Amino acid sequence: MLTAAELVERVRAYHPAVDASLITRAYAYSEKAHTGQQRKSGDPYFVHPASVAGIITELRLDASSVCAALLHDVVEDTLATTEDIEKEFGKEIAELVDGVTKLSKINFTSKEDRAAENFRKMVVAMAQDIRVLLVKLCDRLDNMRTLEHMKREAQERIARETIEIYAPLANRLGIASFKTELEDLSFKYLESKSYDDLAAAIAKTQKERERYIFDVNHLIGQRLAEQGFAADVSGRAKHLYSVWRKMQSHDCTLEQIHDLIAFRVIVESVSDCYACLGVVHSMWTPVPGRFKDYIALPKPNMYQSLHTTVIGPDSERIEVQIRTSDMHRVAEQGIAAHWKYKERHSGGVADADAKKFGWLRQLVEWKDELKDPAEFLEGVKVDLFQEEVYVFTPKGDVRVFPRGSTPIDYAYSIHSKLGDHIVGARINGKLEPLRYKLRNGDVIEVVTSNTQQPNKGWLDFVITTRARSRIRNWLRQEERDKSIRLGRELLEREFQRTGISLTKLLKDDNEVRHLVEAMKVQTFDELLLALGYGKIDAHDVVDVVAPQSADGKALVPASIKENVVARAVRKVIGRDEGAIVLNGIDDVLVRYAKCCNPIPGEDILGFITRGRGITVHRRGCGKAFDSDPERRVEITWDAKAKINREVQIRVTATNKPGILGDVGQTFNDLKINVIEANCRASDDGRAISLFTFNCSDMAKLRDVMRALGKVKGVTTVERI
C-alpha cells in the first residue's frame, strides 16, 4: 500500500509546487475514518482509496484529485458528511468527493434503474468538473483489479457495467491504458472460459512472438536511422479482448487472425510521421484499405496517429502506428494530458482543449432532454461508444457519427425540423434512400418535403440518440393528440347518453375545477388523455358530474367503489389472467413482448395497450422506450402463480462426434424437455445449435446455461 509520503513524491514529480500537507491530511483523515473496515479480500478497506489515489497520480492530476480519491468513500461508508469534508479540506475537494460518492442511499425500482440513474448523476457532476469522472474511472479500475473476491453474480454485474459504460468512457476520454485493462478484466469475468482458452493459446506462442517483435523492432529502427530519423520503436501483442472480439465478428479462430501484433513508432515532428510512413511502405507491402490518417482527422477523443497495416516478415500482417511524442502522451493519458494547473480553474482543462470534448456537452443536453434514465443510458451506449464515421457537410465541415448512422441521423444533428421533413439525401451527388448507411468521406445534402413527417419505422434503423429522441417525442405527441381526441369522443358519447352538455360544462370554470380535482389530474386535457388511454372510465366522470343518473338509480358509495386503474384495464381487456400483479391487483390480462421475451425473475415493466391489456417488457428493453411513459405501469411477477415461459438459447461447440449427445444429456440431467432443436455444422469446424424449451424463472435458466457451458467442447452459450 502506498504511503502518504510516496503519494506526495509521485505528485511532486510532475507538479513541484504541490501542497504536500493537503495530501498528507487527506490520507490521515481517510485512514482514520475507515479504521476497522475490511474489503471482501480481508484487507483493510483503506487499501482501496490509497490505491485509487495511486492510479490518479499515473494520470498526473492535481492534489485536489488525489485528495478526492483518498476521500471518495468516506461520506458513504463512515459517519463523515460532505459538510465535514468541506470544513476540513475546502469546497473544491468536497464537491469532487460529493460527485464521486456512490449513490447507495437512493432507492430505485430496479438494479437497471439504479445503474442508469447513477450514471445520469455522474454525468451531471462531470459536466461541472471532469475530474469527477477521472476519479470515478480510477475507482472502477481498482475495483476491477480486486473483483476475484466478490460473488459470481456480483462479478458478472460489475463486469457487464464496466465493459458497457466505463471502458468506452475511458476510450472517449482517450485513456487507452485504462480502456484495454478494463476490457480485459471484464472479459475475464464475463466469458471466463473463452478468456482462459485464448490466454492459454496465446501463451503457447509467446516466445516466438517476442522474438518476432524484437526482430521487426530492429529492422524498422535500423532503416529509420539510416534515413536520418530519431525514432523510438516498440512492439506489443494486441490485448485479449480485442483479439476475441475480432474472432467473434469475423467468425474465425485464433489461427485465422493475422494482425495480432502492433508496432509503434514515435518521432519528433508531424512531417517525420508522414516521411516514416513512406519508409515503412518501402520496406513492406501495405494492405489496401488499411491506412488511416488520424493526424489530419483526429478522433473525437483527440487521438492522433497514422495507422497502416503491412505484410511484414514471414508474410505476417502487422499494424504500424506512427506518431509524435506529444500525440503519444495524449493517446496514453487522454484528457488528463491536457491538464492545466491554474489557481482558479474549472475542471482543470484549458478552454481550447475543453471545446474538443463536444460529446461532454452532448451528454448534458441529453440529460435534460431524456427524462427516462434507462433511455438516457441506452442513448449514451449507442452514441458515445461505437466506432465513428467522418462525413462532410456541403460546405466541407466535418461531422462525426456512430458507425451505421443514416441520413436521418445526419439531418437531426443539423436541426430537428430538417429531420422531421427529410425524404432522402444526395450522397456525393447521388440520391440515396433514408436507410443508406453513412461512410467515411461522404458529402451529404439533405432533401426535404413539407408533407413528410416522422414515422415509427424510422426507429428500426436510426442510430443516434438525438434522432431517436426527436422521433420518439414526435410520435408520443402524435399519440397524445390522438388519445385526447379519442377521450373527448368517449366523454361526449357518455355525456350525451346521460343528458349532459360538454360545451356548457367547459364554460363553467368551477365545475371544471371540481371535476379535475375529483379525478386527480392537473388539467382537463390530462383527463381527456387518461380517458383516451383507458386509465379512466367515462362512467367515473359521469359519477362526479352527475351524482344521480337519469334513471334515478342509487350511486355506489365511494368506500366500495372498484379501483379506477383496475376498472379501466378490465374494461379494455374484458378478461383476467394471473402471473402479473398490477398495483396489488392480480387479475389482469397480459401479453408478453416478443422483442425481449421476459421470464419470471427478470425485472419488468408494463404498458397499457388499448384493446390488448398490459404488454410486459423486460426493464431496459429498447422497444419499451418507444412507448409513451404516461402509459407505463409498475408491475411485478405474482409469486403465487406458476408459469413456464418459452425461451431459446444458442449453443456453439466444437463439431466433434458425440457433442450433441453430451448437450442432450445435460438437458436430461436437469429434467428439461426440449421443445425444438435446430442443429447445423459450419465450415469452420463449429456446431451451432438452437434449443427451445420451457423455463420457470431466471434462476433455472442460469443453471441450464451454466451446466451447458461446462460441457467439454462447448465454447459459448447465449440466450436469444
Side-chain angles (χ1 to χ4, degrees):
M1 182 175 72
L2 283 172
T3 64
E6 288 170 333
L7 271 178
V8 170
E9 285 308 307
R10 284 193 180 193
V11 180
R12 272 198 180 128
Y14 56 84
H15 185 30
V18 64
D19 183 353
S21 65
L22 187 66
I23 295 176
T24 304
R25 284 193 293 117
Y27 189 99
Y29 188 97
S30 179
E31 187 174 30
K32 182 179 179 180
H34 289 297
T35 299
Q37 296 178 351
Q38 287 187 325
R39 303 195 80 189
K40 296 286 186 182
S41 62
D43 293 332
Y45 190 86
F46 180 67
V47 170
H48 169 61
S51 299
V52 175
I55 300 171
I56 284 289
T57 63
E58 294 173 17
L59 293 178
R60 303 167 66 89
L61 298 186
D62 63 350
S64 295
S65 302
V66 175
C67 292
L70 289 167
L71 300 166
H72 77 275
D73 278 338
V74 166
V75 173
E76 179 191 359
D77 295 338
T78 76
L79 297 176
T81 65
T82 305
E83 290 73 23
D84 295 334
I85 300 295
E86 182 173 348
K87 184 178 179 181
E88 191 72 27
F89 300 100
K91 186 175 181 180
E92 181 185 7
I93 292 175
E95 287 178 350
L96 288 174
V97 172
D98 189 49
V100 178
T101 297
K102 298 183 183 75
L103 306 170
S104 61
K105 294 182 178 65
I106 299 174
N107 295 316
F108 298 104
T109 53
S110 73
K111 292 178 181 177
E112 285 78 7
D113 273 352
R114 184 190 178 99
E117 186 64 21
N118 282 353
F119 185 76
R120 188 189 186 101
K121 296 204 173 190
M122 188 168 68
V123 167
V124 175
M126 78 184 189
Q128 299 168 349
D129 196 326
I130 191 65
R131 290 174 295 178
V132 170
L133 183 53
L134 295 174
V135 175
K136 189 73 175 176
L137 277 174
C138 295
D139 174 42
R140 178 51 60 105
L141 181 57
D142 186 65
N143 282 331
M144 288 299 295
R145 287 173 176 174
T146 55
L147 198 58
E148 71 270 14
H149 303 293
M150 302 290 284
K151 292 181 180 179
R152 180 64 186 168
E153 284 189 5
Q155 288 176 342
E156 290 182 359
R157 174 178 52 80
I158 295 169
R160 177 71 58 196
E161 185 181 64
T162 299
I163 206 163
E164 289 184 352
I165 298 298
Y166 290 95
L169 266 176
N171 180 50
R172 265 294 180 166
L173 289 169
I175 311 173
S177 57
F178 280 23
K179 173 199 176 253
T180 54
E181 186 174 357
L182 289 172
E183 284 181 342
D184 278 354
L185 288 169
S186 301
F187 176 36
K188 177 181 178 181
Y189 293 103
L190 292 174
E191 300 286 348
S192 54
K193 189 175 185 303
S194 298
Y195 177 91
D196 293 339
D197 291 346
L198 184 58
I202 288 180
K204 287 180 183 178
T205 60
Q206 184 174 352
K207 288 184 178 179
E208 296 174 16
R209 192 165 54 254
E210 287 175 351
R211 185 169 60 251
Y212 185 86
I213 289 173
F214 177 82
D215 292 343
V216 174
N217 277 347
H218 179 71
L219 282 171
I220 296 175
Q222 185 179 46
R223 179 66 65 87
L224 291 177
E226 289 172 0
Q227 299 294 323
F229 295 105
D232 179 18
V233 185
S234 60
R236 59 173 177 79
K238 294 186 175 179
H239 68 292
L240 291 178
Y241 179 70
S242 68
V243 174
W244 179 78
R245 193 170 59 177
K246 184 168 284 190
M247 290 167 59
Q248 296 297 303
S249 62
H250 290 82
D251 199 15
C252 61
T253 62
L254 178 63
E255 291 73 22
Q256 295 170 305
I257 300 291
H258 299 294
D259 50 347
L260 280 173
I261 302 173
F263 292 87
R264 185 176 297 138
V265 179
I266 299 176
V267 292
E268 295 177 337
S269 66
V270 172
S271 58
D272 284 353
C273 291
Y274 290 98
C276 288
L277 176 69
V279 173
V280 172
H281 282 181
S282 70
M283 294 173 66
W284 299 298
T285 304
V287 177
R290 293 301 302 271
F291 169 67
K292 296 175 182 177
D293 187 347
Y294 293 121
I295 294 179
L297 285 173
K299 289 187 176 183
N301 61 12
M302 296 190 295
Y303 175 88
Q304 288 183 289
S305 188
L306 297 178
H307 287 199
T308 186
T309 301
V310 297
I311 308 297
D314 303 329
S315 299
E316 288 285 341
R317 281 191 180 196
I318 58 175
E319 183 180 76
V320 182
Q321 303 169 358
I322 307 170
R323 63 182 73 146
T324 67
S325 55
D326 283 342
M327 293 174 190
H328 180 63
R329 187 165 55 89
V330 172
E332 292 301 304
Q333 298 178 5
I335 194 172
H338 293 255
W339 197 262
K340 305 294 180 186
Y341 294 102
K342 312 174 193 173
E343 291 182 8
R344 296 172 182 267
H345 54 68
S346 175
V349 181
D351 293 340
D353 291 328
K355 289 177 182 177
K356 297 177 182 178
F357 285 82
W359 60 274
L360 282 174
R361 291 194 302 276
Q362 283 185 334
L363 280 180
V364 180
E365 288 175 10
W366 297 338
K367 176 263 298 178
D368 295 329
E369 289 179 8
L370 305 179
K371 302 304 181 186
D372 186 340
E375 186 175 350
F376 173 75
L377 189 60
E378 178 210 29
V380 169
K381 289 178 185 177
V382 171
D383 269 32
L384 295 188
F385 308 145
Q386 290 192 356
E387 294 182 16
E388 298 90 7
V389 292
Y390 299 80
V391 300
F392 297 92
T393 68
K395 292 183 179 179
D397 297 329
V398 177
R399 287 188 174 261
V400 185
F401 293 91
R403 190 167 297 280
S405 295
T406 66
I408 298 178
D409 296 294
Y410 173 86
Y412 275 109
S413 75
I414 305 295
H415 196 282
S416 57
K417 288 187 177 179
L418 194 67
D420 288 345
H421 299 301
I422 183 173
V423 292
R426 287 190 180 87
I427 310 292
N428 307 319
K430 181 184 176 184
L431 199 61
E432 297 286 356
L434 296 179
R435 287 179 177 269
Y436 173 88
K437 292 186 178 180
L438 304 182
R439 300 171 186 168
N440 279 322
D442 280 347
V443 179
I444 306 172
E445 182 182 354
V446 174
V447 179
T448 61
S449 168
N450 290 333
T451 59
Q452 176 70 299
Q453 291 179 334
N455 67 72
K456 194 172 183 178
W458 288 5
L459 292 171
D460 294 335
F461 56 86
V462 296
I463 296 293
T464 60
T465 298
R466 186 180 183 85
R468 298 185 73 83
S469 171
R470 293 288 190 270
I471 295 167
R472 282 171 174 158
N473 286 343
W474 193 92
L475 293 173
R476 286 169 184 165
Q477 186 59 47
E478 185 75 2
E479 180 72 18
R480 179 186 175 89
D481 292 344
K482 286 181 180 177
S483 295
I484 287 176
R485 289 195 297 270
L486 176 60
R488 181 179 288 272
E489 290 175 11
L490 292 172
L491 192 59
E492 282 181 339
R493 191 179 306 150
E494 194 62 30
F495 272 15
Q496 286 172 2
R497 191 185 66 80
T498 317
I500 301 172
S501 170
L502 179 59
T503 304
K504 290 181 179 179
L505 173 73
L506 293 176
K507 289 180 179 179
D508 189 333
D509 292 340
N510 291 330
E511 195 68 47
V512 172
R513 190 181 305 113
H514 168 65
L515 176 59
V516 165
E517 290 174 357
M519 301 311 297
K520 296 180 180 179
V521 293
Q522 297 297 317
T523 65
F524 188 74
D525 273 356
E526 278 192 27
L527 174 61
L528 297 178
L529 187 66
L531 283 163
Y533 281 161
K535 287 185 175 181
I536 294 178
D537 196 304
H539 286 298
D540 296 321
V541 181
V542 171
D543 288 345
V544 173
V545 177
Q548 188 171 357
S549 59
D551 57 6
K553 288 185 179 179
L555 297 175
V556 179
S559 57
I560 59 170
K561 188 178 292 185
E562 190 178 27
N563 181 285
V564 174
V565 176
R567 188 189 304 172
V569 171
R570 287 197 186 93
K571 186 168 182 65
V572 171
I573 60 181
R575 63 186 182 85
D576 301 334
E577 183 179 314
I580 295 296
V581 178
L582 164 68
N583 295 337
I585 304 155
D586 59 5
D587 55 348
V588 295
L589 174 69
V590 299
R591 57 186 293 270
Y592 299 96
K594 294 181 180 179
C595 53
C596 55
N597 194 28
I599 64 174
E602 292 184 293
D603 284 331
I604 52 176
L605 268 179
F607 292 87
I608 296 176
T609 311
R610 286 194 297 274
R612 306 177 76 179
I614 292 179
T615 301
V616 182
H617 287 267
R618 268 194 273 177
R619 195 181 292 272
C621 168
K623 290 286 186 182
F625 298 138
D626 298 341
S627 301
D628 193 317
E630 293 189 33
R631 294 165 61 187
R632 185 180 302 171
V633 289
E634 288 296 330
I635 56 175
T636 57
W637 295 100
D638 187 352
K640 298 177 293 183
K642 293 183 178 180
I643 179 173
N644 276 311
R645 297 277 300 129
E646 199 172 278
V647 296
Q648 191 175 51
I649 60 173
R650 180 190 292 115
V651 178
T652 306
T654 306
N655 188 17
K656 64 176 185 178
I659 186 66
L660 188 57
D662 293 342
V663 170
Q665 185 59 46
T666 302
F667 277 114
N668 187 55
D669 293 343
L670 293 169
K671 296 181 172 55
I672 296 292
N673 180 39
V674 177
I675 300 171
E676 183 180 346
N678 188 337
C679 310
R680 64 180 177 84
S682 60
D683 296 335
D684 58 0
R686 297 185 306 159
I688 301 172
S689 306
L690 302 180
F691 296 100
T692 304
F693 57 93
N694 285 327
C695 187
S696 57
D697 55 46
M698 274 300 296
K700 185 67 174 178
L701 180 60
R702 288 195 194 99
D703 291 343
V704 173
M705 295 178 71
R706 197 171 287 122
L708 290 171
K710 293 178 181 178
V711 175
K712 190 173 182 180
V714 171
T715 55
T716 59
V717 181
E718 54 189 335
R719 179 181 174 189
I720 300 176

